[in-house]
Amino acid sequence: MKNTLRTVYRACHLCEAICGLEMKIEGNNIVSIRGDEADPFSRGHICPKGVAIKDLYEDENRLRQPLKKIIGSNGHAEWRTISWDEAFDLAAQKLSEVNLQHGDNAVGFYAGNPSVHNIGTLFSVPSLVRVLKTKNAFSATSVDQLPQQLTSYLMFGHQFMITIPDIDHTDYFLILGGNPVASNGSLMTVPDVTKRLQAIKERGGKVVVIDPRRTETAEIANEHHFIRPSGDAALLMAMINVLKSENLFRISHPEKLTGLGTALAAIADITPEAAAPVAGIDAATIRRIAREFAHAPSAICYGRLGTTLQSFGTLNQWLVQLMNIVTGNLDRVGGSLPTNPIIPTTGRGTKPGSYARWHSRVSKLPEAGGELPVAAMAEEILTKGEGQIKALVTTCGNPVLSTPNGRKMDDALASLDFMVSIDIYLNETTRHADLILPPTSHLNHDHYDYVFNAFAVRNVTRFNGAVWPKPADERYDWEIFGELVNRLAAKLGRDSRPATSTSNMIEVMLKAGESSHGISFGALKEAEHGIDLGALKPSIYMRLETHDGKINCAPDAIISDVARLKRHLVSASPPEGELPRNAAPVLEFGVALRSSAPLTMIGRRHVRSNNSWMHNSHRLIKGKPRDQLMMHPIDLAARGLQDGQVVRISSAIGEVNIAVQATDRLMPGVVSLPHGFGHSRSGTRLGLAHEHAGVSYNDLCDAADIDAVSGNAALNGISVKVIGLARST
Ligand SMILES: Nc1nc2c(c(=O)[nH]1)N[C@H]1C(S)=C(S)[C@@H](COP(=O)(O)OP(=O)(O)OC[C@H]3O[C@@H](n4cnc5c(=O)[nH]c(N)nc54)[C@H](O)[C@@H]3O)O[C@H]1N2
Ligand SMILES: Nc1nc2c(c(=O)[nH]1)N[C@H]1C(S)=C(S)[C@@H](COP(=O)(O)OP(=O)(O)OC[C@H]3O[C@@H](n4cnc5c(=O)[nH]c(N)nc54)[C@H](O)[C@@H]3O)O[C@H]1N2
Ligand code: SF4
Ligand SMILES: [Mo]
């Protein structure tokens, strides 16, 4: 029978922008993928990753059946395909054995980033953690937005009360440590961000980017200022003090604030002059930006990964919120305000969060939202004693490449008694597993963006059914979790609930939230391009979930970290006269001229990559290499290095060799390396990625470097030395 060509519409599940896709399908073949012009939110926008969904779907390396590791007589691992029944039996048997022998915390759990793009996984994870009763649950949250969630919990009373930049209505957008033009936005679901940023300028507004690199976003902004890595907290404190001293506070709901006096007192001594050397931005500019921000009819202060994945992540996020609060921009149209999704993520029936209810065994890092920081995971596996992790379940994650000290993580995972990974690839992490359980392709299941509808710059919603039913011998992620949970519950004598399908979950949750928007599941399914529910509306002051219904401007845990920042100010300030206040003159006389001087390393993202797992797509990996160490010509010259030369980067804990790329788009003294590479590790099944291996940023990161309040890893702003190796040809 001849296959007919049909068109299906689907939200892209690869990044937070959730673009609508129009896919032409013929039989089992994807004929074409382009942006869905009729999606009211993404308006036809698409990036190269969306098109590369075809590669991911067709990838011969993508796993479809359970794999069991067998150690051959030569000591080498071989993988054998086994039946689902055998696989579930093995997993339940081994995990329950470890649990019964060593206790509840002996089975650890790690969930990575794609789990939030996939409700089948997202809604299944809690039942697995519940049946395991483990306190050793980790996720990519603590190498990402944990400081943001924790700040929302401590100030607003709910970890998911994340305020979103109202990009379409703002007059002034101050972006610290985010590069949405490359990342397509984060904790700001914003398809087509370039057009929306340009629209701010077209309507006479201003976009100001603060970043150690002149990024793709900085290129289209009105203004960009280099900042020394980790200088944001000092900068923000100084700006708030300028506003206070110049009577520029415009607080909209003073009766809804507690602790503002305490907060301001704690930071009062950080003047623009005190912040300038640490931020690398001169005092006059700090004053000017602060004034412009306050005078703009509406303004947004937004800090993303560059402000969270560093030593002062929680302080930064607290200060971002204070900037918005004191200028009346929190909860203002054109400011920073929460969404009102049709399936609520805050309010009744949701989990407001928690903090420090328990601590990790070895480094005593605090729990947050029921999880421990992943910076503690390797040591919790490697350190003997009661509560040691002996077995691990991972899903949607590649902690070997994405969390600090990948080599130690390798050692830790290799030492486990048993490891099972629910994952679609045999990669740097899952190669350590004894068993891999691959869920069916994303295109084979229904899709709903529970998380990203809640973080979008407009209130939007969209449900798309599966492109194809799943092949009979494959399993949905929720089926895999359901089966594991049931069998574990039976072996451990614990309760479990039957697993439900993705659409059932949505239907049930929608009924619970139906009153607010009046959209039925039927109507949602019908609207295959998604439904626009309008611009964000002020509501946070009515929705606060703190015990007194007010914003806590001075949470104890945060205020007590201000002293650490002040110590940093002293230690990080260069000696008088050595570093000019404005970053630009560093080009001529900067500290970087000393060849032995350490450099500060930060990460970067590229639109053709996504964390560690898309380097196996030929559409994405082709073209110029994108894995080099970027360095300013001044720093290259000081070390006698040349563009393209192979260099050795060494940190306190490791070293890697990689080609260097000259660029003046980086602050002198700062180097930039993307994370997610490092595919030369043996025993993976990633043909193309292996050929474009690169090196892993996180092989250089010490797990002891954390944001003290949240325990989030401080992967940006690490100190490295760079020396030349062979000349390039
Ligand atoms: N140095 C440095 N490190 C970083 C960052 C940085 O900026 N710099 N960024 C951090 C951030 S923000 C994040 S979110 C983390 C990400 O950290 P992780 O989530 O641990 O890593 P990913 O590379 O996203 O790995 C995704 C995994 O999910 C699998 N996968 C993909 N789709 C599916 C699916 O549908 N089902 C299942 N079961 N598996 C799937 C892939 O095969 C891969 O193994 O990395 C962090 N690490
Ligand atoms: N193409 C692509 N898109 C992605 C991803 C991807 O890997 N590739 N990952 C997705 C994920 S999981 C996430 S969480 C988001 C992240 O989305 P973004 O937060 O937009 O991520 P980045 O591009 O890493 O931007 C961080 C910026 O912080 C800067 N920076 C580093 N240190 C500092 C500092 O101390 N201060 C300041 N002010 N800036 C600093 C860096 O130079 C960089 O430009 O992107 C998502 N989208
Ligand atoms: S921007 Fe993100 S959501 Fe849009 S097509 Fe690219 S990867 Fe998919
Ligand atoms: Mo992330």
Side-chain angles (χ1 to χ4, degrees):
M1 201 180 76
K2 198 171 172 301
N3 286 320
T4 49
L5 191 69
R6 62 192 172 103
T7 305
V8 297
Y9 299 97
R10 230 176 126 86
C12 175
H13 62 278
L14 295 177
C15 92
E16 296 180 41
I18 63 171
C19 302
L21 305 177
E22 182 191 289
M23 305 173 77
K24 299 274 184 211
I25 303 288
E26 197 170 25
N28 281 331
N29 187 28
I30 304 172
V31 178
S32 68
I33 301 178
R34 45 183 230 154
D36 177 3
E37 302 284 344
D39 180 322
F41 191 36
S42 65
R43 309 178 292 206
H45 178 71
I46 188 168
C47 87
K49 292 186 294 297
V51 183
I53 285 181
K54 181 170 162 72
D55 287 354
L56 300 178
Y57 183 70
E58 293 170 356
D59 191 345
E60 281 179 6
N61 289 145
R62 183 167 62 79
L63 308 176
R64 278 113 167 132
Q65 295 296 305
L67 286 185
K68 179 184 173 184
K69 187 188 275 166
I70 315 278
I71 305 295
S73 49
N74 56 5
H76 287 164
E78 281 165 32
W79 291 92
R80 188 171 300 160
T81 303
I82 60 171
S83 73
W84 283 102
D85 195 48
E86 193 185 343
F88 290 131
D89 252 359
L90 177 67
Q93 181 61 34
K94 292 287 188 182
L95 294 175
S96 59
E97 266 172 32
V98 169
N99 175 289
L100 293 169
Q101 202 184 333
H102 301 286
D104 289 338
N105 296 332
V107 181
F109 176 76
Y110 175 83
N113 170 274
S115 56
V116 284
H117 295 267
N118 174 349
I119 46 167
T121 296
L122 188 69
F123 292 161
S124 301
V125 162
S127 52
L128 182 64
V129 175
R130 208 178 308 122
V131 79
L132 289 171
K133 291 193 178 168
T134 181
K135 291 197 160 96
N136 280 318
F138 307 87
S139 84
T141 289
S142 50
V143 277
D144 188 347
Q145 81 287 1
L146 177 59
Q148 230 154 324
Q149 278 178 215
L150 182 60
T151 303
S152 289
Y153 171 66
L154 295 173
M155 294 181 79
F156 307 142
H158 201 295
Q159 58 187 341
F160 301 129
M161 189 72 81
I162 303 285
T163 62
I164 309 301
D166 190 6
I167 186 170
D168 292 339
H169 303 100
T170 197
D171 298 289
Y172 196 98
F173 196 3
L174 178 62
I175 304 176
L176 300 106
N179 184 14
V181 172
S183 70
N184 284 294
S186 186
L187 292 188
M188 169 172 74
T189 280
V190 56
D192 206 3
V193 68
T194 303
K195 272 202 201 126
R196 292 177 200 254
L197 286 171
Q198 267 153 353
I200 298 176
K201 295 197 292 180
E202 280 157 22
R203 61 177 179 262
K206 198 162 181 180
V207 180
V208 178
V209 172
I210 310 281
D211 197 299
R213 185 165 77 88
R214 193 160 73 245
T215 59
E216 296 80 351
T217 307
E219 286 293 341
I220 62 162
N222 299 73
E223 250 179 66
H224 163 243
H225 299 276
F226 284 130
I227 184 166
R228 292 181 71 199
S230 311
D232 307 80
L235 171 75
L236 290 163
M237 287 178 181
M239 291 205 293
I240 291 168
N241 286 327
V242 169
L243 300 179
K244 180 161 182 275
S245 65
E246 299 188 7
N247 289 323
L248 289 173
F249 279 9
R250 299 285 180 270
I251 296 169
S252 61
H253 292 71
E255 76 291 354
K256 288 280 192 179
L257 307 180
T258 60
L260 185 59
T262 309
L264 295 174
I267 65 170
D269 48 341
I270 310 301
T271 59
E273 282 70 20
V278 172
I281 300 176
D282 64 83
T285 304
I286 297 176
R287 286 201 168 81
R288 178 176 59 78
I289 297 174
R291 288 175 192 140
E292 284 179 7
F293 189 93
H295 287 303
S298 65
I300 307 160
C301 182
Y302 164 77
R304 203 39 200 109
L305 211 67
T307 65
T308 58
L309 200 61
Q310 54 129 295
S311 306
F312 298 103
T314 309
L315 276 188
N316 287 335
Q317 286 300 320
W318 169 66
L319 292 160
V320 160
Q321 293 298 359
L322 286 184
M323 267 298 279
N324 289 325
I325 290 170
V326 298
T327 53
N329 283 300
L330 182 81
D331 216 31
R332 166 190 278 171
V333 170
S336 189
L337 58 178
T339 56
N340 182 15
I342 66 168
I343 301 182
T345 52
T346 60
R348 211 156 49 97
T350 64
K351 285 206 176 123
S354 53
Y355 179 55
R357 287 179 302 170
W358 63 82
H359 289 80
S360 69
R361 189 175 53 110
V362 182
S363 287
K364 312 282 177 249
L365 302 189
E367 161 273 349
E371 288 177 15
L372 287 171
V374 71
M377 189 162 94
E379 67 184 13
E380 290 299 326
I381 297 173
L382 289 168
T383 312
K384 292 199 170 21
E386 174 133 18
Q388 180 186 5
I389 300 175
K390 296 276 197 177
L392 184 71
V393 183
T394 72
T395 187
C396 298
N398 193 0
V400 166
L401 297 190
S402 59
T403 71
N405 203 341
R407 295 287 167 193
K408 187 170 171 190
M409 186 62 74
D410 269 326
D411 292 344
L413 300 184
S415 76
L416 288 164
D417 289 354
F418 182 72
M419 173 170 163
V420 50
S421 291
I422 304 171
D423 205 286
I424 54 174
Y425 283 113
L426 174 43
N427 64 15
E428 297 76 14
T429 292
T430 61
R431 71 194 173 122
H432 292 293
D434 299 281
L435 181 64
I436 307 178
L437 304 173
T440 193
S441 154
H442 209 270
L443 300 181
N444 293 107
H445 60 73
D446 301 337
H447 181 74
Y448 186 80
D449 279 300
Y450 170 72
V451 173
F452 301 108
N453 285 336
F455 297 143
V457 301
R458 293 182 65 82
N459 288 311
V460 291
T461 184
R462 177 169 182 150
F463 176 92
N464 292 116
V467 178
W468 301 279
K470 81 177 158 67
D473 54 354
E474 295 187 13
R475 294 289 179 279
Y476 294 118
D477 27 42
W478 58 268
E479 288 177 316
I480 296 175
F481 277 92
E483 202 54 43
L484 261 183
V485 169
N486 283 342
R487 294 193 195 205
L488 273 169
K491 289 206 184 285
L492 298 173
R494 292 175 182 170
D495 291 340
S496 71
R497 282 177 233 152
T500 42
S501 77
T502 318
S503 0
N504 274 350
M505 291 184 229
I506 292 301
E507 193 164 7
V508 169
M509 297 180 81
L510 205 54
K511 282 222 174 88
E514 202 168 342
S515 50
S516 61
H517 290 279
I519 293 175
S520 68
F521 189 47
L524 185 62
K525 280 199 289 193
E526 194 102 323
E528 54 187 355
H529 304 287
I531 305 173
D532 180 59
L533 299 161
L536 305 185
K537 289 201 190 95
S539 65
I540 201 170
Y541 289 102
M542 278 111 68
R543 290 165 59 188
L544 295 168
E545 295 188 40
T546 44
H547 65 95
D548 57 0
K550 296 182 180 184
I551 295 178
N552 182 359
C553 296
D556 291 341
I558 298 182
I559 295 293
S560 52
D561 199 37
V562 174
R564 186 173 64 96
L565 187 268
K566 290 186 181 169
R567 287 196 298 277
H568 167 77
L569 284 189
V570 175
S571 67
S573 289
E576 195 68 37
E578 191 162 348
L579 183 78
R581 290 213 189 99
N582 190 315
V586 179
L587 300 180
E588 283 103 57
F589 359 85
V591 279
L593 279 175
R594 278 182 287 123
S595 62
S596 60
L599 296 155
T600 307
M601 191 164 80
I602 58 167
R604 70 173 182 271
R605 284 176 157 74
H606 191 280
V607 73
R608 304 185 79 89
S609 180
N610 191 29
N611 295 331
S612 76
W613 70 281
M614 284 185 208
H615 300 142
N616 216 42
S617 149
H618 76 89
R619 280 181 173 78
L620 294 178
I621 202 79
K622 68 182 179 196
K624 286 192 222 143
R626 288 179 281 270
D627 56 0
Q628 303 98 323
L629 181 75
M630 286 183 176
M631 196 190 268
H632 195 281
I634 293 266
D635 291 319
L636 286 172
R639 288 164 185 75
L641 300 172
Q642 279 173 14
D643 184 30
Q645 185 176 347
V646 176
V647 296
R648 172 162 299 156
I649 317 172
S650 41
S651 72
I653 63 131
E655 54 185 40
V656 298
N657 300 341
I658 190 80
V660 75
Q661 184 187 8
T663 175
D664 63 2
R665 289 167 188 234
L666 205 54
M667 190 175 199
V670 179
V671 288
S672 158
L673 184 75
H675 75 288
F677 286 93
H679 305 298
S680 57
R681 284 161 157 89
S682 63
T684 63
R685 201 178 283 177
L686 290 164
L688 256 185
H690 202 76
E691 285 168 34
H692 299 262
V695 293
S696 178
Y697 185 114
N698 293 325
D699 285 350
L700 297 168
C701 297
D702 189 340
D705 290 339
I706 51 165
D707 163 37
V709 184
S710 65
N712 202 53
L715 302 176
N716 282 310
I718 69 166
S719 183
V720 295
K721 290 205 165 169
V722 178
I723 57 160
L725 298 178
R727 301 263 150 170
S728 64
T729 47

